[in-house]
Amino acid sequence: MLSRRLSSLRTMTIPKHSLSDLPLPPPATWLTRNLTPDPSTPSVAEFRNKVLTNTPSLQRRARLLSAESHFSYVTPMPMPFPYDIDPPSPSDEVQNKGEYIEKWLAQREAIHNEKLSQTSPLRKYFPRNRDQARELIGLSETGLRDCLPHLDVGDAFSLIGAPTLANSFSEEGDGAPSDSEGEVAARRDLVDVLSGYAVLMNNESESTSFAPWSLRYSGHQFGSWAGQLGDGRAISVLVTPHPSNPDLTYELQLKGAGRTPFSRSADGLAVLRSSIREYLCSEAMQALGIPTTRSLSLISLPALQVQREKAETACIFTRVAPSFLRIGCFEAFNGPTEMFFFGGGQQKPNWDGLRVLGEYVSKHVLKLNLGEGEAWGTKLVLEVSRRNAKMVAGWQAYGFMHGVINTDNVSLLGLTIDYGPYAFMDVFDSFHICNHTDEGGRYAYKYQPNMIIYALRALLNALAPLIGAEHEFGDRAVPAGWANDISKEKIDEWRRKGLELRPELERVAQQETADEYGRLLRKRLALRRVEPTDETRLFKPLLDIMETHKLDFHGTFRTLSTFKPSLLEHQGQPNGKAATKGVPPDLESFITTLLAFTPQKQTMQYDQATTEWLQWLDKYAERIESEKDLWGTDRDAERTAAAKSANPRFVLRQWLLEEVIHKVERDADSGKRVLAKVMHMACNPFEPWGAEGDAREESDFTPEEKEERRYCGMGDTKMLGFQCSCSS
């Protein structure tokens, strides 16, 4: 399997580049060329030549940025915080402690450059007094294939080893470096940059200069205004165009690479536990067809301990997306109130910063294809609404719970972003809360569509004055300085006009959610025609049965993939044991299989559950029969194949995630092979893992098949409904 995978990647005709040699998109499209930097890091040249060498604490010090700022240049530096700064020897006296600290930090910054190839647009900078063990434990094949097919990862997959669940300690298939110097060099380059050790910048002219950055944004957290938040542990280190579509660019962002100006009192680091969870789930969501940020790599820093509820190992996760801008980016320029407190707060509104951000998002992120001078505010809000409505419909259809739908965690592109205490539904509970910090159930499964609308309202609130002004200007885009010297009364008038868009925003979001949810539920039930009664006649009654009788969400859908209307044809005819209930043996066996997906077999009311299933299956069969002309001659086989391609056999359940995390924490060498296999299963969730449907005795299964089957199960009942915390 490993050799086939490597072969498929190697034989692609797209020219390959090591990470440091990846091409950059045209500078005119860069976020850093279109938006406003923090005045403390006003340009790449000043950042590189002055800040990094003389006042590096500027990029590590928690502070409110100037109101016009969209981002701050910042370089990765994964180190424990508070920094353990070595005191001078007893014979030395420090005249200026501030200067001493700046010098100590500068000695650990990546400021020593290495010349790359003649074609490389960037230079690689290294530190001299900061080195630590860096272990590649995960590399996403699908993220690489879809987003960065031109990236040469060298012998990285070989180093991880052959994916396995049952034989992770076997020497056969264990990871080993290549004999090729070129492959080793490409892998080392990948690990150096994505571990936060080396930094990519350049020495070109100001118009083409490049350096990493972190975003400023604000937001509502659990419904309360929190003011400036920002990328407290995320640093975007590179952006590169997709080789088959130059207009599509992908941003590489390190999560857990050290402090930024937005870290507040935190250390800017991430732990192995949370990194593994996001690494796996990003690709699992992609495989389910739900819009998401993507995974690239996991690099453990085994010598760096991070204190959370307990001491844990640090890890840097690299995620990939066309953009990481979120609703909170707009809120930073027009929040509901100003606030100031130690380490944080919220700046006054900055109307031109709002305009600059909106113009960039409209043109380069959402690509709204506007005419010259055309108003963009309304179109931007409605497009973000449509995208996020489609995303949350996918969440609901596949039982995904995000856990922290704060406005700073809602992507402008409608991508699932910032995976924290997420969970996939086990036993169906419409009120399930996956985040134990969410004591009031604000982000429970049932309320997720409402919370997305709440976030969309926050976006509209931020942009409302500008939208109102566009209307007054004849549906034209506002010019630079559009709100200079404008009275508060006029701003309020524009705001009221802009807020008139709210009913349309809500209508668009609700309709898009309903349409997409219906499409996905019909896909899961292998139905091809839209019926207006599907929600009330099929979808809701099905979920009610699951909830009433505490049935597993995904197991139930997967079992329904094999349902055939012919099972109901002989219902009521005398036939052995089932005749007393009027249920044919095959139908009784099918319903028994459905009812087996419960952790509470002893309290199951089997007669009531059977009756409810018979009533629902009768309606389902009638609906299937009404579509018989939409399928081929072997309708049952075609429907089963279609349903199985939409209902995962493998799901990232909480018990499974906890087990994988513990295996990697206990022993990275064997654990990363298990991690690779779980990633492969997550990326191919519809496959019949664990010899599904195989008639052999289980004793005849291979050890790998047995483990696959276990990993497709519900797991320990104690872990059902397991809640995570926000800590990471």
Side-chain angles (χ1 to χ4, degrees), residues 64 215-231 262 264 326-337 339 341 344-347 404-410 418 442-443 454-455 457-459 461-462:
L64 284 181
L215 284 173
R216 171 191 167 214
Y217 46 84
S218 300
H220 287 79
Q221 297 189 321
F222 292 92
S224 298
W225 178 240
Q228 177 183 285
L229 299 166
D231 283 332
F262 312 104
R264 288 165 287 171
R326 62 276 310 280
I327 284 175
C329 294
F330 281 102
E331 288 189 285
F333 292 91
N334 182 23
T337 183
M339 55 196 296
F341 51 86
Q346 178 58 45
Q347 304 85 335
V404 200
I405 316 172
N406 298 331
T407 59
D408 56 294
N409 293 338
V410 179
D418 291 340
R442 177 181 178 84
Y443 298 138
Y454 178 92
R457 289 173 184 158
L459 174 64
N461 289 341

Side-chain angles (χ1 to χ4, degrees), residues 176-297:
S178 169
D179 293 331
S180 165
E181 290 185 8
E183 292 207 341
V184 171
R187 182 251 303 164
R188 285 179 175 167
D189 182 51
L190 181 88
V191 172
D192 279 347
V193 176
L194 300 187
S195 68
Y197 177 64
V199 178
L200 298 177
M201 295 184 282
N202 66 13
N203 282 320
E204 301 302 319
S205 65
E206 190 55 38
S207 63
T208 58
S209 55
F210 181 91
W213 72 92
S214 290
L215 284 173
R216 171 191 167 214
Y217 46 84
S218 300
H220 287 79
Q221 297 189 321
F222 292 92
S224 298
W225 178 240
Q228 177 183 285
L229 299 166
D231 283 332
R233 59 188 176 128
I235 302 172
S236 295
V237 296
L238 190 63
V239 60
T240 187
H242 193 283
S244 65
N245 181 5
D247 290 333
L248 175 62
T249 60
Y250 281 100
E251 194 175 308
L252 279 65
Q253 188 174 83
L254 307 189
K255 193 170 180 180
R259 280 181 62 82
T260 77
F262 312 104
S263 297
R264 288 165 287 171
S265 60
D267 56 20
L269 303 174
V271 299
L272 190 60
R273 163 178 48 88
S274 63
S275 301
I276 287 174
R277 286 174 58 86
E278 181 161 359
Y279 172 74
L280 290 173
C281 198
S282 299
E283 295 308 292
M285 295 286 274
Q286 174 68 19
L288 293 173
I290 301 172
T292 179
T293 55
R294 305 296 299 276
S295 299
L296 181 58
S297 68

